């Protein structure tokens, strides 16, 4: 049987509708408007697209959006000064610095500078630690979106064998952490594979759910999975341009072949991507509620 295609676009649309209603209610009852600041340093075209989508989605949901496009030569000190100003700005509840940053800026210094209460990416060590001990304020957006996709598609996570391919701080480590918590919507047995893993197939072949964030096209092929597996593809690889000049995107999974064996699979584009932005909106709403003592 062909796989169910798990639509991030459709799930994200539903969640955004729920968020829009809650944001309108917050304004009406408490005159509270969640505010998100996005900071982009330099002109990386992909990052420009992502930040543009974040700004557009904020506005569509009734979130106040402040966008800072800084030149590539911006010094670390200038960036830290802007973050300090936004940390103190009462209209701003969430601060997002788009990664990667130019090489002359130390990413760790920047992520440490964001007030953990405004860290809607969930990348500050305080929030990473809180997730680790099962007491998170903000779940990182891509992993949270993946968990929501699984839950809203009726896929059982409790007791499942989950294999994560990739150990980044943005996706691999936090999704493993989220799914292994002793909580509803989690409680899985999680294995993380990475470039040092001797035999990735050995692990993926016995997985009920595979989450691939390897950053490489066809990192997961059909011979690496069992029949009936659920596959979440986090990859975004630009492999060329179409005739009309648009980027051609593929994920990390050999989609056409793997979908013949899988029970359910996410496409690229239209899978995890729209969920990431939606979870950022959810975190911004949560940050505003926490700041107002409403959460
Ligand atoms: N670059 C790629 N993914 C992300 C993300 O989730 N947050 C930020 N800030 N930058 C990114």
């Amino acid at each position: 049987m062909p796989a169910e295609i798990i639509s991030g676009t459709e799930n994200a649309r539903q969640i955004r509708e729920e968020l829009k209603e809650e944001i309108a209610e917050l304004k009406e009852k408490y005159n509270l408007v969640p505010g998100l600041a996005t900071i982009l340093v330099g002109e990386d075209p992909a990052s420009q697209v992502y930040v543009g989508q974040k700004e557009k989605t904020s506005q569509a949901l009734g979130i106040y959006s402040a966008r800072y496009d800084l030149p590539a030569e911006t010094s670390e000190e200038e960036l830290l000064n802007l973050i300090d100003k936004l940390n103190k700005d009462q209209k701003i509840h969430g601060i997002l610095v788009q990664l990667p940053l130019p090489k002359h800026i130390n990413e760790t210094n920047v992520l440490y500078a964001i007030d953990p209460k405004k860290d809607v990416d969930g990348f500050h060590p305080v929030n990473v630690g809180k997730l680790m001990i099962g007491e998170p304020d903000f779940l990182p957006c891509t992993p949270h979106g993946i968990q929501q996709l699984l839950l809203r598609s009726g896929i059982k996570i409790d007791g499942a064998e989950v294999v994560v391919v990739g150990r980044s701080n943005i996706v691999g480590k936090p999704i493993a952490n989220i799914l292994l918590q002793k909580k509803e919507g989690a409680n899985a047995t999680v294995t993380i594979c990475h470039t040092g893993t001797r035999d990735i197939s050995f692990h993926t072949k016995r997985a009920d759910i595979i989450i691939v964030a390897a950053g490489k096209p066809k990192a997961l092929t059909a011979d690496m999975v069992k029949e009936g597996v659920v596959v979440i593809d986090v990859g975004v690889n630009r492999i060329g341009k179409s005739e009309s000049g648009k980027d051609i995107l593929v994920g990390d999974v050999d989609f056409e072949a793997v979908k013949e064996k899988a029970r359910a699979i996410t496409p690229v584009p239209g899978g995890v991507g729209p969920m990431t932005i939606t979870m950022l909106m959810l975190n911004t709403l949560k940050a505003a509620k926490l700041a107002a003592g409403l959460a």
Side-chain angles (χ1 to χ4, degrees), residues 39 47 50-51 54 95-100 111 114 120-121 123 140-143 170-171 276 280:
I39 306 173
S47 292
Y50 293 140
V51 172
K54 288 166 188 176
I95 301 170
L96 178 133
V97 179
Q98 187 65 30
L99 303 176
L111 296 181
I114 296 170
V120 283
D121 258 328
F123 293 165
C141 302
T142 301
I170 294 183
V171 184
T276 296
L280 176 67

Side-chain angles (χ1 to χ4, degrees), residues 144-254:
H144 193 194
I146 293 168
Q147 185 192 32
Q148 283 298 315
L149 272 183
L150 292 169
L151 291 174
R152 287 173 181 250
S153 307
I155 289 151
K156 190 166 175 278
I157 301 172
D158 193 325
E161 290 288 335
V162 175
V163 171
V164 178
V165 184
R167 59 176 151 188
S168 71
N169 291 334
I170 294 183
V171 184
K173 286 183 202 159
I175 189 62
N177 238 314
I178 289 171
L179 297 183
L180 66 77
Q181 301 289 335
K182 194 168 183 176
K183 286 185 179 171
E184 222 170 285
N187 208 29
T189 302
V190 184
T191 304
I192 307 182
C193 296
H194 46 75
T195 48
T197 301
R198 279 208 305 265
D199 183 357
I200 293 181
S201 272
F202 168 80
H203 299 282
T204 53
K205 269 183 193 157
R206 57 167 191 79
D208 304 314
I209 300 170
I210 308 176
I211 297 162
V212 195
K216 198 174 84 176
K218 299 200 178 170
L220 189 79
T221 49
D223 58 313
M224 295 170 72
V225 307
K226 71 176 182 187
E227 289 283 341
V229 68
V230 173
V231 177
I232 305 289
D233 189 349
V234 190
V236 184
N237 303 292
R238 290 173 169 75
I239 56 163
K241 296 253 184 215
S242 70
E243 274 178 21
S244 60
K246 275 184 86 172
D247 282 331
I248 301 171
L249 298 183
V250 297
D252 290 351
V253 175
D254 184 357

Side-chain angles (χ1 to χ4, degrees), residues 34-51:
L36 174 67
T38 52
I39 306 173
L40 173 62
V41 186
E43 274 131 38
D44 176 62
S47 292
Q48 282 176 331
V49 172
Y50 293 140
V51 172

Side-chain angles (χ1 to χ4, degrees), residues 91-126:
K91 289 201 301 297
I92 296 299
H93 304 98
I95 301 170
L96 178 133
V97 179
Q98 187 65 30
L99 303 176
L101 286 164
K103 288 205 169 40
H104 66 277
I105 298 179
N106 182 315
E107 190 177 292
T108 306
N109 291 347
V110 171
L111 296 181
Y112 275 50
I114 296 170
D115 181 344
K117 294 189 177 68
K118 298 193 176 189
D119 172 36
V120 283
D121 258 328
F123 293 165
H124 190 286
V126 165

Side-chain angles (χ1 to χ4, degrees), residues 10-85:
E10 179 50 28
N11 279 284
R13 193 191 58 72
Q14 280 174 20
I15 301 172
R16 285 177 198 185
E17 268 177 27
E18 294 160 21
L19 292 175
K20 196 172 172 181
E21 265 181 39
E22 200 180 335
I23 290 163
E25 204 179 292
L26 210 61
K27 172 134 200 251
E28 201 177 294
K29 272 199 196 152
Y30 303 102
N31 200 26
L32 176 60
V33 178
L36 174 67
T38 52
I39 306 173
L40 173 62
V41 186
E43 274 131 38
D44 176 62
S47 292
Q48 282 176 331
V49 172
Y50 293 140
V51 172
Q53 287 170 340
K54 288 166 188 176
E55 186 185 31
K56 215 171 99 191
T57 310
S58 299
Q59 289 164 351
L61 298 192
I63 291 173
Y64 165 66
S65 165
R67 176 168 170 176
Y68 297 85
D69 283 299
L70 309 180
E73 319 75 70
T74 302
S75 69
E76 187 174 311
E77 193 188 353
E78 285 169 313
L79 178 56
L80 293 176
N81 285 340
L82 172 60
I83 292 172
D84 186 46
K85 192 182 91 173

Side-chain angles (χ1 to χ4, degrees), residues 128-136 177 181 183:
V128 176
K130 283 185 149 186
L131 167 58
M132 188 88 176
I133 60 167
E135 300 284 336
N177 238 314
Q181 301 289 335
K183 286 185 179 171

